[in-house]
Amino acid sequence: MENEDEKFMRMALGEARIAASQDEVPIGAVVVCGGQVIARAHNMTEALIDPTAHAEMQAITSATSNLGGKYLTDCTIYVTVEPCLMCAGAIAWSQMGRVVYGAADDKRGYHVYCDAPFHKRTQVATGVLADECAALITDFFRRKR
Amino acid sequence: MENEDEKFMRMALGEARIAASQDEVPIGAVVVCGGQVIARAHNMTEALIDPTAHAEMQAITSATSNLGGKYLTDCTIYVTVEPCLMCAGAIAWSQMGRVVYGAADDKRGYHVYCDAPFHKRTQVATGVLADECAALITDFFRRKR
C-alpha cells in the first residue's frame, strides 16, 4: 500500500506531466495542509515567459492565497525535483512545515549552493518516487536533443 | 553630478518609499536596459498576501514580460537592499547582466548563505546610496516597534 508521501508525490508527478505536455521542463508541486491539497502547480516559465514561474513558486503563491496568510507553517510541499535556490528561498519565507522532494538536482538544486536554506523548523524528506521524477526530466531533455 | 548608478538607485528608493507608505517592508527595484527603465516595483508581500512578492521578483517578472523573453542578459537590476536567496536565485535564472544594490543585509541577504548565486557573467556592484537605502529599513522597523 502506498504511503501518504507517495500519494501526494503522484499528484505532483501528474502536474509535472501536464508541464511536459506543454513543452515545459516537467516539474510539478502540490501543497498539502491537514491532509487536503490546497495548491497544485507545474512549471510555466515558457508559457508565462517568466524565469520565476517554477512549480514551487506558483504553488506557494496559490497556497498562501488559498489560506489567506503569508505562512505555510502547517503545510507540506511535495515537489518532483529538488528545489533550486530561488524556490528554496521562497519555501523559507513561507516557513513551510515540511518539504518532500523526489529527484535530486546536482546542477541547480539548492544543495549545490548551500546546506540549510529553509526555516530552522522545516523538516525535509528526499527521494520519494525519485526514479519516476527523474525519468520525466531525462526523457524531456532527450526529446529536446 | 550624480552618476548613472545613483540616478537609477534613486528611482528604486522611490519605489521603496511607495512600499513604506503602504506599510510594506520598504524595498524597491528597477530594471534598466539600454539606459531605459523597463520595470519598476516594490515589495508587496502584505498587499498580495504572498511571501514571494519581493520587489526584485515583481521587477523581473515585469521586465521579462516587457522584453518578451526569459533572459535579462543586457539589463541591470537596481535594488535598494541586498537580494535574499530567493531573489538571488531569480536573478540567476534571468541571467541578469548586472546587479547593483544599496544596503547589505546581514540577516537575510544572499551572502549569508552563499557567495556566488548569480550567473557567471553577472557583474555585481554594492553600496550605492547604501545609507539612504538602509535608513528606510531602519526607520520602518523602528516605527513598527
Side-chain angles (χ1 to χ4, degrees):
Chain A
M1 211 183 83
E2 205 166 58
N3 66 29
E4 282 276 292
D5 281 352
E6 287 173 356
K7 182 179 102 179
F8 291 122
M9 189 60 82
R10 282 209 189 284
M11 290 188 192
L13 273 163
E15 286 294 319
R17 285 193 190 96
I18 295 171
S21 74
Q22 294 167 355
D23 215 29
E24 302 272 2
V25 175
I27 299 178
V30 303
V31 177
V32 174
C33 188
Q36 302 290 313
V37 174
I38 62 164
R40 48 198 306 161
H42 53 267
N43 177 38
M44 293 182 73
T45 51
E46 300 300 330
L48 300 179
I49 316 176
D50 183 351
T52 75
H54 286 192
E56 302 94 311
M57 304 300 287
Q58 315 278 322
I60 289 168
T61 296
S62 173
T64 51
S65 170
N66 190 326
L67 292 183
K70 270 193 316 174
Y71 300 113
L72 301 172
T73 321
D74 298 324
C75 300
T76 298
I77 189 167
Y78 292 86
V79 52
T80 56
V81 176
E82 180 186 353
C84 71
L85 212 53
M86 171 180 72
C87 294
I91 290 167
W93 284 114
S94 77
Q95 300 189 11
M96 189 74 69
R98 189 160 172 261
V99 177
V100 182
Y101 67 80
D105 179 352
D106 290 335
K107 278 179 91 169
R108 302 299 290 261
Y110 70 83
H111 85 269
V112 178
Y113 299 89
C114 67
D115 289 333
F118 304 126
H119 190 277
K120 62 179 187 288
R121 282 191 296 271
T122 302
Q123 297 185 308
V124 181
T126 70
V128 176
L129 303 182
D131 291 348
E132 274 181 71
C133 294
L136 265 183
I137 298 283
T138 311
D139 291 351
F140 177 80
F141 284 108
R142 187 177 297 137
R143 273 185 285 124
K144 282 279 175 196
R145 279 199 302 266
Chain B
M1 212 184 81
E2 203 166 58
N3 65 28
E4 283 276 291
D5 281 353
E6 287 174 354
K7 180 179 102 178
F8 291 121
M9 189 60 82
R10 282 208 189 282
M11 291 189 192
L13 273 164
E15 286 293 319
R17 285 193 189 96
I18 295 171
S21 74
Q22 295 168 353
D23 215 29
E24 302 272 2
V25 175
I27 299 178
V30 304
V31 177
V32 174
C33 188
Q36 301 290 314
V37 174
I38 61 163
R40 48 196 308 160
H42 52 269
N43 178 38
M44 294 184 72
T45 51
E46 301 299 331
L48 299 179
I49 317 175
D50 183 350
T52 74
H54 286 192
E56 302 94 310
M57 303 301 288
Q58 315 280 321
I60 290 168
T61 297
S62 173
T64 51
S65 169
N66 190 326
L67 292 183
K70 273 194 313 174
Y71 300 112
L72 301 172
T73 320
D74 297 324
C75 300
T76 298
I77 188 167
Y78 292 86
V79 53
T80 55
V81 177
E82 179 187 354
C84 72
L85 211 53
M86 172 179 74
C87 293
I91 289 167
W93 284 115
S94 77
Q95 300 188 13
M96 189 74 69
R98 189 161 171 258
V99 177
V100 181
Y101 68 81
D105 180 353
D106 289 335
K107 278 179 90 169
R108 304 298 291 261
Y110 71 82
H111 85 269
V112 179
Y113 299 89
C114 67
D115 289 333
F118 304 125
H119 190 276
K120 61 180 186 289
R121 280 191 296 269
T122 302
Q123 297 185 307
V124 181
T126 71
V128 176
L129 304 181
D131 290 346
E132 275 182 71
C133 294
L136 265 184
I137 298 284
T138 311
D139 292 351
F140 177 81
F141 285 108
R142 187 177 295 137
R143 275 185 283 124
K144 281 279 174 196
R145 279 198 303 263

Short mmCIF file of all heavy atoms in Angstrom, two decimals, chain A residues 87-116:
data_model
loop_
_atom_site.label_atom_id
_atom_site.label_comp_id
_atom_site.label_asym_id
_atom_site.label_seq_id
_atom_site.Cartn_x
_atom_site.Cartn_y
_atom_site.Cartn_z
N CYS A 87 13.56 28.78 -5.35
CA CYS A 87 12.40 28.12 -4.74
C CYS A 87 12.68 27.76 -3.28
O CYS A 87 11.78 27.85 -2.43
CB CYS A 87 12.01 26.89 -5.54
SG CYS A 87 11.40 27.33 -7.19
N ALA A 88 13.91 27.38 -2.97
CA ALA A 88 14.28 27.11 -1.58
C ALA A 88 14.11 28.38 -0.75
O ALA A 88 13.60 28.33 0.38
CB ALA A 88 15.72 26.60 -1.51
N GLY A 89 14.49 29.51 -1.32
CA GLY A 89 14.32 30.78 -0.62
C GLY A 89 12.85 31.11 -0.40
O GLY A 89 12.45 31.57 0.67
N ALA A 90 12.03 30.84 -1.40
CA ALA A 90 10.58 31.08 -1.28
C ALA A 90 9.98 30.17 -0.20
O ALA A 90 9.15 30.60 0.60
CB ALA A 90 9.89 30.85 -2.62
N ILE A 91 10.41 28.92 -0.19
CA ILE A 91 9.94 27.96 0.82
C ILE A 91 10.33 28.46 2.21
O ILE A 91 9.56 28.38 3.17
CB ILE A 91 10.51 26.55 0.52
CG1 ILE A 91 9.84 25.97 -0.74
CG2 ILE A 91 10.33 25.62 1.73
CD1 ILE A 91 10.52 24.73 -1.30
N ALA A 92 11.53 29.01 2.31
CA ALA A 92 12.00 29.55 3.60
C ALA A 92 11.11 30.71 4.06
O ALA A 92 10.68 30.76 5.21
CB ALA A 92 13.44 30.02 3.48
N TRP A 93 10.82 31.66 3.15
CA TRP A 93 9.98 32.80 3.53
C TRP A 93 8.59 32.35 3.96
O TRP A 93 7.98 32.97 4.83
CB TRP A 93 9.86 33.80 2.37
CG TRP A 93 11.07 34.65 2.16
CD1 TRP A 93 11.90 34.64 1.08
CD2 TRP A 93 11.60 35.65 3.05
NE1 TRP A 93 12.91 35.56 1.25
CE2 TRP A 93 12.75 36.19 2.44
CE3 TRP A 93 11.22 36.12 4.29
CZ2 TRP A 93 13.52 37.19 3.03
CZ3 TRP A 93 11.98 37.12 4.90
CH2 TRP A 93 13.12 37.64 4.27
N SER A 94 8.10 31.28 3.35
CA SER A 94 6.75 30.79 3.70
C SER A 94 6.75 30.02 5.02
O SER A 94 5.69 29.68 5.53
CB SER A 94 6.21 29.88 2.59
OG SER A 94 6.82 28.60 2.66
N GLN A 95 7.94 29.75 5.55
CA GLN A 95 8.07 28.96 6.78
C GLN A 95 7.36 27.61 6.64
O GLN A 95 6.73 27.12 7.60
CB GLN A 95 7.55 29.74 7.99
CG GLN A 95 8.30 31.04 8.23
CD GLN A 95 7.95 31.71 9.55
OE1 GLN A 95 7.31 31.14 10.43
NE2 GLN A 95 8.39 32.96 9.72
N MET A 96 7.49 27.02 5.46
CA MET A 96 6.87 25.72 5.16
C MET A 96 7.22 24.70 6.25
O MET A 96 8.36 24.58 6.67
CB MET A 96 7.40 25.24 3.81
CG MET A 96 6.72 24.02 3.24
SD MET A 96 5.07 24.37 2.59
CE MET A 96 5.45 25.37 1.15
N GLY A 97 6.21 23.95 6.69
CA GLY A 97 6.45 22.96 7.74
C GLY A 97 7.32 21.81 7.30
O GLY A 97 8.18 21.33 8.04
N ARG A 98 7.11 21.36 6.05
CA ARG A 98 7.83 20.17 5.58
C ARG A 98 8.02 20.25 4.07
O ARG A 98 7.13 20.72 3.35
CB ARG A 98 7.01 18.92 5.95
CG ARG A 98 7.70 17.60 5.74
CD ARG A 98 7.04 16.48 6.57
NE ARG A 98 7.59 15.19 6.20
CZ ARG A 98 6.99 14.33 5.36
NH1 ARG A 98 5.81 14.60 4.85
NH2 ARG A 98 7.59 13.20 5.04
N VAL A 99 9.17 19.82 3.63
CA VAL A 99 9.50 19.78 2.20
C VAL A 99 9.79 18.33 1.82
O VAL A 99 10.63 17.69 2.46
CB VAL A 99 10.76 20.62 1.88
CG1 VAL A 99 11.12 20.52 0.40
CG2 VAL A 99 10.56 22.07 2.28
N VAL A 100 9.08 17.83 0.83
CA VAL A 100 9.33 16.47 0.34
C VAL A 100 9.63 16.57 -1.15
O VAL A 100 8.81 17.08 -1.91
CB VAL A 100 8.09 15.56 0.54
CG1 VAL A 100 8.39 14.14 0.06
CG2 VAL A 100 7.67 15.55 2.01
N TYR A 101 10.83 16.13 -1.53
CA TYR A 101 11.09 16.14 -2.97
C TYR A 101 11.50 14.78 -3.49
O TYR A 101 11.87 13.90 -2.70
CB TYR A 101 12.06 17.25 -3.37
CG TYR A 101 13.50 17.13 -2.91
CD1 TYR A 101 14.40 16.30 -3.60
CD2 TYR A 101 13.99 17.89 -1.86
CE1 TYR A 101 15.73 16.23 -3.23
CE2 TYR A 101 15.32 17.81 -1.47
CZ TYR A 101 16.19 16.98 -2.16
OH TYR A 101 17.51 16.90 -1.78
N GLY A 102 11.36 14.62 -4.81
CA GLY A 102 11.66 13.34 -5.43
C GLY A 102 13.12 13.23 -5.83
O GLY A 102 13.98 12.84 -5.02
N ALA A 103 13.43 13.64 -7.06
CA ALA A 103 14.79 13.51 -7.57
C ALA A 103 15.69 14.65 -7.11
O ALA A 103 15.25 15.80 -7.04
CB ALA A 103 14.74 13.50 -9.10
N ALA A 104 16.92 14.33 -6.79
CA ALA A 104 17.91 15.38 -6.51
C ALA A 104 18.31 16.06 -7.82
O ALA A 104 18.15 15.49 -8.90
CB ALA A 104 19.14 14.77 -5.84
N ASP A 105 18.78 17.31 -7.71
CA ASP A 105 19.26 18.04 -8.89
C ASP A 105 20.69 18.50 -8.60
O ASP A 105 20.90 19.48 -7.89
CB ASP A 105 18.34 19.24 -9.17
CG ASP A 105 18.81 20.04 -10.38
OD1 ASP A 105 19.91 19.77 -10.90
OD2 ASP A 105 18.07 20.95 -10.80
N ASP A 106 21.64 17.77 -9.16
CA ASP A 106 23.04 18.04 -8.85
C ASP A 106 23.61 19.23 -9.62
O ASP A 106 24.78 19.58 -9.46
CB ASP A 106 23.89 16.80 -9.11
CG ASP A 106 23.60 15.71 -8.08
OD1 ASP A 106 23.15 16.05 -6.97
OD2 ASP A 106 23.81 14.52 -8.40
N LYS A 107 22.79 19.84 -10.48
CA LYS A 107 23.26 21.03 -11.20
C LYS A 107 22.68 22.31 -10.60
O LYS A 107 23.39 23.26 -10.33
CB LYS A 107 22.88 20.96 -12.69
CG LYS A 107 23.84 20.12 -13.50
CD LYS A 107 23.42 20.04 -14.95
CE LYS A 107 24.05 21.15 -15.81
NZ LYS A 107 23.82 20.87 -17.26
N ARG A 108 21.37 22.37 -10.42
CA ARG A 108 20.71 23.59 -9.98
C ARG A 108 19.95 23.43 -8.67
O ARG A 108 19.25 24.34 -8.26
CB ARG A 108 19.75 24.10 -11.08
CG ARG A 108 20.44 24.38 -12.42
CD ARG A 108 21.53 25.43 -12.34
NE ARG A 108 21.04 26.76 -12.12
CZ ARG A 108 20.87 27.69 -13.07
NH1 ARG A 108 21.14 27.42 -14.32
NH2 ARG A 108 20.45 28.89 -12.75
N GLY A 109 20.04 22.28 -8.04
CA GLY A 109 19.39 22.09 -6.75
C GLY A 109 20.05 22.96 -5.68
O GLY A 109 21.22 23.30 -5.79
N TYR A 110 19.27 23.32 -4.65
CA TYR A 110 19.81 24.24 -3.63
C TYR A 110 21.04 23.70 -2.95
O TYR A 110 21.91 24.46 -2.52
CB TYR A 110 18.72 24.61 -2.61
CG TYR A 110 18.30 23.50 -1.67
CD1 TYR A 110 19.04 23.21 -0.53
CD2 TYR A 110 17.18 22.73 -1.93
CE1 TYR A 110 18.66 22.18 0.33
CE2 TYR A 110 16.79 21.71 -1.08
CZ TYR A 110 17.53 21.44 0.05
OH TYR A 110 17.17 20.42 0.89
N HIS A 111 21.16 22.34 -2.83
CA HIS A 111 22.28 21.77 -2.08
C HIS A 111 23.63 22.08 -2.74
O HIS A 111 24.67 22.01 -2.09
CB HIS A 111 22.10 20.26 -1.88
CG HIS A 111 22.58 19.41 -3.03
ND1 HIS A 111 21.77 19.03 -4.09
CD2 HIS A 111 23.80 18.89 -3.31
CE1 HIS A 111 22.47 18.31 -4.95
NE2 HIS A 111 23.70 18.21 -4.51
N VAL A 112 23.59 22.40 -4.04
CA VAL A 112 24.84 22.76 -4.73
C VAL A 112 25.39 24.07 -4.15
O VAL A 112 26.60 24.29 -4.13
CB VAL A 112 24.59 22.91 -6.25
CG1 VAL A 112 25.85 23.34 -6.99
CG2 VAL A 112 24.01 21.62 -6.83
N TYR A 113 24.49 24.93 -3.66
CA TYR A 113 24.88 26.27 -3.20
C TYR A 113 24.94 26.41 -1.69
O TYR A 113 25.77 27.13 -1.16
CB TYR A 113 23.91 27.32 -3.75
CG TYR A 113 23.88 27.38 -5.25
CD1 TYR A 113 23.01 26.58 -5.98
CD2 TYR A 113 24.76 28.22 -5.93
CE1 TYR A 113 23.00 26.62 -7.37
CE2 TYR A 113 24.75 28.26 -7.31
CZ TYR A 113 23.87 27.46 -8.02
OH TYR A 113 23.87 27.51 -9.39
N CYS A 114 24.02 25.76 -1.00
CA CYS A 114 24.02 25.90 0.47
C CYS A 114 23.29 24.73 1.10
O CYS A 114 22.45 24.09 0.48
CB CYS A 114 23.40 27.23 0.88
SG CYS A 114 21.66 27.39 0.53
N ASP A 115 23.60 24.47 2.35
CA ASP A 115 23.09 23.29 3.03
C ASP A 115 21.71 23.51 3.65
O ASP A 115 20.87 22.62 3.64
CB ASP A 115 24.06 22.88 4.16
CG ASP A 115 25.32 22.29 3.59
OD1 ASP A 115 25.26 21.74 2.48
OD2 ASP A 115 26.37 22.40 4.26
N ALA A 116 21.51 24.66 4.24
CA ALA A 116 20.32 24.85 5.07
C ALA A 116 19.61 26.15 4.75
O ALA A 116 19.65 27.11 5.52
CB ALA A 116 20.72 24.80 6.54
#
